[in-house]
Amino acid sequence: MGNFLVWVVWLAAAFACLGSGVAVVSVTNPFYSALALIGNLGSLAVLFLLLSAEFVAAAQVLVYAGAVAVMFLFVIAYLGGQADAPWAGGSSWQRWAAVIAASALLLEIVMVIGLKAGGRLSDEADVRESFGSPAEIGRFFLTDQLLAFEITSIVLLVAAIGGVILGAHSRAGGVPREEGAGERTLPERAPSVPATSVGAGVPER
Amino acid sequence: MRGPDTTWYLAVSAILFAIGTLGVLLRRSPLIVLLSLEIMLNSGNLALITFARQGGNLDGQIFALAVMAVAASEVVVGLGLIVAMARRRLALDVDKLTTLRG
């Protein structure tokens, strides 16, 4: 009975995952695409739970469905979300090349996994009850994987600085570096420009 | 045997990766390209966690968390670029963005 329940949950999560993935790629309205991505991430979190990765599943819901998807939705709302048909534009050979490249990649992944690990995939290791729990992950992060932990923090810091710089660039309207100098010369330049144009224009007429 | 074994999870991961690749190659809006990239990163995460469970080793889950942080950073920078492009009234079409000049 327990096995049956696991299969039912797995099938529901897997089909929801693949279906929402197809929806993200094929829906024309970007707003619905982002909503389908939330469904995709949620069903992936269910799959993570089935693989006894509780902390990663929680982080997935918090980080992706909480932060990343909301950021996507805000940007789409800000930009107005122009509809963009998935098959519109571009030449037809580009579309066929995209489909062929994606299916070739799928075939390569299946071949490599099947050839390299085909015989050993069915025997899973027996894991203890606390495998993947927050306590275990935290202990692992602060002992064996401390370097990865610190590098992750540096990556996040650099990304935050990059986001701030990109936002400042776009707010200054293309000339961000001369912003301080421009503010100083602006009162001098503003009256001088009409003065020269008037002075050049009046004697001619 | 309890539930589906590793092969099934890996099949889902591979198909999801192919779907994400298709989205990156096919769509023109940079927003949808970023969303498809998220799908690709997440399918990689699923494969990592599947192998972590199969090997009984927590390293895969740690790597998946690191991938999650990198994906969040990538979204921040990518969305910042898209907003900057929209403010300069550039076309949000990856086929038309052929130069790096602002």
Side-chain angles (χ1 to χ4, degrees), chain A residues 44-126:
Chain A
L44 266 176
V46 173
L47 288 183
F48 290 169
L49 274 181
L50 289 180
L51 285 165
S52 65
E54 292 109 14
F55 182 74
V56 183
Q60 170 97 355
V61 172
L62 284 175
V63 173
Y64 270 121
V68 169
V70 168
M71 210 154 63
F72 266 112
L73 288 177
F74 267 127
V75 169
I76 289 169
Y78 173 74
L79 295 181
Q82 311 96 323
D84 157 53
W87 298 96
S91 50
S92 65
W93 69 265
Q94 274 180 329
R95 288 179 226 155
W96 285 113
V99 172
I100 290 171
S103 41
L105 200 62
L106 175 63
L107 200 66
E108 281 171 23
I109 294 170
V110 170
M111 289 277 284
V112 166
I113 291 177
L115 284 180
K116 279 291 175 191
R120 288 175 288 127
L121 282 183
S122 51
D123 44 339
E124 283 184 8
D126 286 326

Side-chain angles (χ1 to χ4, degrees), chain A residues 3 6-7 10 14 17-18 21-22 24-28 30 33-34 37 40-41 44 47-48 50-53 55-56 59-60 63-64 68 71-72 75-76 78-79 82 84 86-90 94-95 98-99 101-102 105-106 109 113 120-127 131-132 136-137 140-141 145 152 155-156 159 163 166-167 170-171 174, chain B residues 1-29 31-32 34-36 38-43 45-46 49-59 61-62 64-88 92 95:
Chain A
N3 282 350
V6 170
W7 268 104
W10 184 84
C17 190
L18 294 179
V22 170
V24 169
V25 173
S26 62
V27 164
T28 54
S33 259
L37 185 77
N40 191 12
L41 302 172
L44 266 176
L47 288 183
F48 290 169
L50 289 180
L51 285 165
S52 65
F55 182 74
V56 183
Q60 170 97 355
V63 173
Y64 270 121
V68 169
M71 210 154 63
F72 266 112
V75 169
I76 289 169
Y78 173 74
L79 295 181
Q82 311 96 323
D84 157 53
W87 298 96
Q94 274 180 329
R95 288 179 226 155
V99 172
L105 200 62
L106 175 63
I109 294 170
I113 291 177
R120 288 175 288 127
L121 282 183
S122 51
D123 44 339
E124 283 184 8
D126 286 326
V127 292
F131 183 78
E136 189 122 340
I137 294 267
F140 213 55
F141 251 142
Q145 306 286 345
T152 302
V155 166
L156 286 174
L166 281 172
S170 55
R171 200 173 303 126
Chain B
M1 200 197 84
R2 318 145 286 183
D5 67 359
T6 313
T7 319
W8 294 94
Y9 289 99
L10 288 179
V12 171
S13 165
I15 295 172
L16 209 58
F17 193 84
I19 290 173
T21 316
L22 196 62
V24 169
L25 293 177
L26 210 56
R27 299 301 297 259
R28 311 205 124 54
S29 160
L31 271 168
I32 310 292
L34 266 184
L35 288 172
S36 308
E38 292 299 310
I39 293 182
M40 290 172 79
L41 285 166
N42 269 299
S43 73
N45 265 353
L46 180 59
I49 288 176
T50 306
F51 281 122
R53 174 68 185 79
Q54 197 216 354
N57 194 341
L58 268 182
D59 287 340
Q61 295 195 8
I62 301 285
L65 286 169
V67 168
M68 221 175 264
V70 169
S73 323
E74 171 242 322
V75 165
V76 167
V77 176
L79 287 181
L81 278 174
I82 290 173
V83 169
M85 274 155 46
R87 287 195 174 176
R88 292 181 184 207
L92 288 182
D95 276 356

